[in-house]
């Protein structure tokens, strides 16, 4: 455990708790956490993880933008919780299935110890984060699945505090799904 990892975990916890409550400040907490994890990952030569965290910083800016702007034609309400039929999610998920082996091969060439698993979690974390920014309720289900993989990944990399964070995030993803269901799924949108 390093001080950077501890602070990154604290902001990671803040991110997920705020996201569950649909609080726009989750994105700022996430940007801080991810920025610190970039430093942590580079120190340990976890290059794939650093790439993922860099994406999270950019996605945090995108999420902040979406969650703070007012929808067109409605100056009073923020972005609402949505759902999307699975069939409409298939093209992006299918693209993820095609991209991750290529990325895994690339990761294997730079020495990642879990090249294909790292690639899978990276690609599908990109997709899950995009869906979270769009406030798609299905994003929480994706996070449950991905977080379970991350728990083992970080445990095997001896980043035990981060592994514990992902155990917490798994529980929080279940809670997030329940909370967003309570908030009510306002739109079934195919425009996302």
């Amino acid at each position: 455990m390093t001080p950077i990892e501890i602070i990154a975990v604290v902001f990671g916890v803040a991110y997920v708790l705020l996201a569950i409550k649909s609080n726009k400040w989750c994105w700022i907490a996430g940007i801080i956490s991810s920025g610190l994890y970039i430093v942590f990952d580079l120190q340990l030569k976890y290059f794939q993880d650093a790439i993922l965290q860099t994406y999270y910083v950019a996605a945090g800016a995108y999420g902040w933008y979406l969650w703070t702007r007012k929808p067109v034609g409605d100056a009073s309400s923020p972005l609402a919780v949505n759902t999307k039929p699975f069939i409409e999610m298939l093209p992006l998920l299918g693209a993820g299935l095609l991209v991750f082996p290529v990325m895994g091969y690339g990761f294997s060439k730079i020495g990642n110890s879990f090249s294909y698993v790292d690639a899978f979690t990276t690609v599908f974390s990109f997709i899950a984060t995009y869906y979270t920014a769009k406030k798609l309720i299905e994003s929480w289900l994706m996070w449950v699945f991905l977080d379970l993989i991350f728990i083992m990944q970080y445990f095997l990399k001896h980043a035990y505090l981060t592994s514990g964070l992902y155990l917490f995030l798994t529980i929080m993803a279940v809670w997030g799904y329940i909370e967003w269901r309570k908030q009510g799924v306002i739109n079934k949108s195919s425009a996302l």
Side-chain angles (χ1 to χ4, degrees), residues 27-186:
W27 297 106
I28 300 302
I31 290 168
I32 293 168
S33 176
S34 295
L36 292 169
Y37 266 119
I38 292 169
V39 174
F40 174 76
D41 293 332
L42 290 175
Q43 288 173 344
L44 295 175
K45 298 185 177 12
Y46 295 161
F47 301 116
Q48 170 275 332
D49 296 333
I51 291 168
L52 180 58
Q53 295 301 329
T54 302
Y55 168 77
Y56 286 158
V57 169
Y62 179 66
W64 174 261
Y65 167 75
L66 287 181
W67 286 29
T68 58
R69 73 179 173 96
K70 303 295 182 194
V72 176
D74 185 357
S76 63
S77 66
L79 182 65
V81 173
N82 294 263
T83 188
K84 192 172 202 174
F86 182 72
I87 192 87
E88 292 180 20
M89 296 171 68
L90 279 177
L92 189 54
L93 296 174
L97 288 173
L98 293 174
V99 168
F100 99 81
V102 174
M103 187 179 279
Y105 178 77
F107 286 161
S108 73
K109 295 302 178 191
I110 62 171
N112 272 37
S113 54
F114 304 104
S115 304
Y116 290 91
V117 175
D118 284 348
F120 181 87
T121 56
T122 298
V123 168
F124 285 94
S125 291
F126 289 176
I127 295 168
T129 302
Y130 172 75
Y131 285 157
T132 301
K134 293 288 192 175
K135 278 198 177 175
L136 270 178
I137 197 165
E138 292 83 1
S139 67
W140 291 112
L141 299 176
M142 290 183 72
W143 284 123
V144 168
F145 178 72
L146 290 167
D147 289 345
L148 290 170
I149 297 169
F150 279 123
I151 291 168
M152 181 174 291
Q153 260 185 304
Y154 282 105
F155 185 83
L156 293 173
K157 292 176 181 180
H158 307 288
Y160 302 117
L161 186 60
T162 300
S163 181
L165 170 64
Y166 278 99
L167 174 60
F168 173 78
L169 293 176
T170 304
I171 296 164
M172 293 298 98
V174 171
W175 183 31
Y177 179 80
I178 293 167
E179 283 296 311
W180 280 20
R181 295 283 308 173
K182 285 181 189 173
Q183 290 176 29
V185 175
I186 308 300

